[in-house]
Amino acid sequence: MIDAVPVRDAPAGQADASFAEITARRRGRVRRYLFQHPRAMDAVVVACYLLLVTPTAVESVLDGVWPVALLLAAGAAALLFRRSHPVAVVAVVALLEVGVTLLHPWGSNVSAGLWFALYSVAVVRSRRFALGTLAAATAPLVFLYFLLAVGPLDGRLPDMGVSTPENFQLITSIAAAVSITLSNVIATGIGVSVRQRREHEHEIAAWAARTARLASVTERNRIAREMHDIVAHSLTVMISLSDGAAVVVKRNPAQAAAVLGELSRTGRAALADMRRVLGLLRDDAGPARAPREPLAAGDNLGKLLEGFRTAGLPLHYTHTGPSLPDDAAFRLTVYRIVQESLTNVLRYGRSLGRVDVAVVRDGSTVTIDVVDDGGGSVDSGGSAAGPPQWGSSGPVGTGQGLAGMLERARIYAGTVQAGRSGDRGWRVHAVLHWNGDESKAT
């Protein structure tokens, strides 16, 4: 409901910043540091890789196959570029892993470099591309272990000093191939999951930015309606009071003084309302704000009517049924509809003999009728014609007042109709539906 929720809408940039802060807090202190320092994260990855392959490097050096240690060191160096050149790093690491397997096929964690490289590709590229890279990088190692089992490289099992079954080498090769495949699939799957989570976070951030922009536009439209209601009503009443004071100042100074007093009060009230509206547009008000009160309360309806009477309208007001719901936004809607209707009467009515304002509450339905017996209204061109029906082409004045009443009524699933009443008068008929807690009504 407009005017009831004390919200100060943040710009899109502030919405993005707020979401980024929430995401950063969810990461925790260590993850947040590594996220903010990618080079430190790269160093951690290389350290983990070296820790995993150190047993293989030491064993190969002790066996005199020192090129294995060089290949593993080259793989560690390649991983430093996994963030900037992920696909190239996968290709390099895959070739190095093949070389290490040929020289030392039964080392521990031989394919550890591919875990980090495939993860990096899955994080920055599409799922289809990541799965294709997974297959291309895993296939050479799987094929190599097949050759170790039944091909020309058969017989390169380490000597365990015990007799082994004839199919032991086949079983070991299959187990190694399956282990490499599964570990690469897990690494790729983790990367795909991280990518999806980041995309989801970006979508939420974009949604938050769009929502903030929409809320800002909605708030500004609301403020524009408030400004129109304040300015149109106040200036119309003040002009009428000024004209009346000019007429009676010589004949009845006391009455002129009363009119001028009402003119002063109307101007001060309008100034106060405008200050409250313009205060909503200030960007330097700080994040902490007290709940904003509506610009005008329904309890001021009597003062509003009295002001129009002073301005010269022959007003008759009736209220039927229980009082209005104790909801500031709903009462403000009633207030603004009555205010706009009477402002149009004061502005365009001619030869007014009676203006009736009736507010009827029947359960959850509130009906507002503003009827005058004037000689019609003048349109924007100055001709003596009443305002057009809803949906017709010719606007009255700027058309903002009638459109504003309709927008306010729609908030409460209501309708507004404006048209001629009889041969001379004009009628505004509004129906609002209140669906709140009836216990709040008095």
Side-chain angles (χ1 to χ4, degrees):
M1 296 184 296
I2 297 177
D3 302 326
V5 181
V7 175
R8 180 180 177 88
D9 298 315
Q14 294 183 10
D16 293 340
S18 299
F19 185 81
E21 292 173 358
I22 294 174
T23 304
R25 287 196 296 269
R26 290 178 56 191
R27 289 193 179 99
R29 183 174 301 177
V30 176
R31 289 182 60 203
R32 183 165 61 248
Y33 176 83
L34 294 176
F35 182 82
Q36 296 172 351
H37 301 81
R39 288 302 179 186
M41 186 64 201
D42 293 339
V44 171
V45 169
V46 172
C48 292
Y49 171 72
L50 292 175
L51 182 64
L52 291 172
V53 300
T54 294
T56 300
V58 173
E59 184 179 352
S60 63
V61 171
L62 293 177
D63 292 342
V65 192
W66 55 266
V68 172
L70 295 180
L71 293 177
L72 295 175
L79 289 177
L80 291 174
F81 302 95
R82 67 183 184 89
R83 194 181 301 273
S84 57
H85 302 83
V87 179
V89 169
V90 168
V92 171
V93 171
L95 292 176
L96 293 175
E97 298 287 5
V98 170
V100 171
T101 303
L102 285 172
L103 297 173
H104 193 78
W106 308 110
S108 61
N109 299 318
V110 172
S111 64
L114 280 179
W115 305 346
F116 302 106
L118 289 173
Y119 167 85
S120 300
V121 171
V123 167
V124 299
R125 303 298 291 267
S126 66
R127 181 188 305 177
R128 180 178 300 179
F129 187 90
L131 293 178
T133 304
L134 165 66
T138 305
L141 286 175
V142 173
F143 182 69
L144 183 58
Y145 274 97
F146 173 78
L147 295 180
L148 288 170
V150 298
L153 299 179
D154 187 10
R156 297 199 56 184
L157 270 176
D159 185 9
M160 300 182 179
V162 295
S163 60
T164 57
E166 295 181 356
N167 61 348
F168 179 75
Q169 184 163 339
L170 176 61
I171 296 175
T172 305
S173 298
I174 293 176
V178 171
S179 175
I180 291 173
T181 302
L182 291 179
S183 60
N184 289 348
V185 168
I186 292 174
T188 303
I190 294 174
V192 171
S193 176
V194 170
R195 173 182 171 82
Q196 291 178 340
R197 189 189 73 237
R198 291 178 181 177
E199 289 179 346
H200 180 63
E201 290 177 354
H202 292 160
E203 290 174 356
I204 294 178
W207 172 84
R210 290 193 301 270
T211 302
R213 286 193 294 269
L214 179 61
S216 178
V217 171
T218 302
E219 179 71 1
R220 289 181 181 275
N221 289 338
R222 185 194 67 80
I223 292 173
R225 288 199 306 269
E226 295 290 349
M227 288 293 291
H228 171 270
D229 292 342
I230 293 170
V231 173
H233 157 69
S234 301
L235 290 183
T236 300
V237 173
M238 291 171 69
I239 291 172
S240 298
L241 290 173
S242 299
D243 293 342
V247 171
V248 302
V249 65
K250 294 182 179 179
R251 293 180 299 177
N252 193 339
Q255 184 179 357
V259 172
L260 291 176
E262 183 63 27
L263 174 63
S264 176
R265 286 190 294 273
T266 302
R268 293 178 185 276
L271 182 59
D273 284 344
M274 288 183 64
R275 284 175 175 171
R276 283 193 290 269
V277 172
L278 295 177
L280 300 177
L281 298 176
R282 296 185 58 183
D283 294 331
D284 59 345
R289 290 171 57 94
R292 176 176 53 83
E293 294 297 331
L295 299 178
D299 295 337
N300 291 329
L301 190 59
K303 296 181 180 179
L304 175 71
L305 299 176
E306 187 61 31
F308 277 107
R309 289 191 182 97
T310 304
L313 289 184
L315 272 178
H316 297 268
Y317 173 71
T318 59
H319 182 103
T320 305
S323 61
L324 296 177
D326 190 16
D327 180 84
F330 187 86
R331 293 192 173 203
L332 178 60
T333 298
V334 175
Y335 182 98
R336 291 303 192 199
I337 290 176
V338 173
Q339 182 187 58
E340 180 62 29
S341 302
L342 293 179
T343 299
N344 286 335
V345 172
L346 185 61
R347 181 185 299 172
Y348 301 119
R350 297 294 181 268
S351 303
L352 293 169
R354 183 182 178 95
V355 179
D356 290 308
V357 178
V359 177
V360 179
R361 182 181 181 186
D362 183 9
S364 61
T365 302
V366 175
T367 303
I368 305 168
D369 281 296
V370 180
V371 184
D372 67 80
D373 61 354
S377 303
V378 293
D379 59 16
S380 57
S383 60
Q389 300 290 339
W390 293 112
S392 62
S393 58
V396 176
T398 63
Q400 294 296 322
L402 299 179
M405 285 193 292
L406 185 58
E407 290 176 3
R408 292 180 185 277
R410 284 174 177 170
I411 298 174
Y412 297 97
T415 59
V416 176
Q417 296 176 343
R420 291 201 174 278
S421 175
D423 296 334
R424 293 172 50 84
W426 191 262
R427 181 191 184 196
V428 175
H429 178 74
V431 179
L432 307 177
H433 299 282
W434 167 249
N435 296 321
D437 187 0
E438 289 300 319
S439 63
K440 294 180 181 181
T442 56

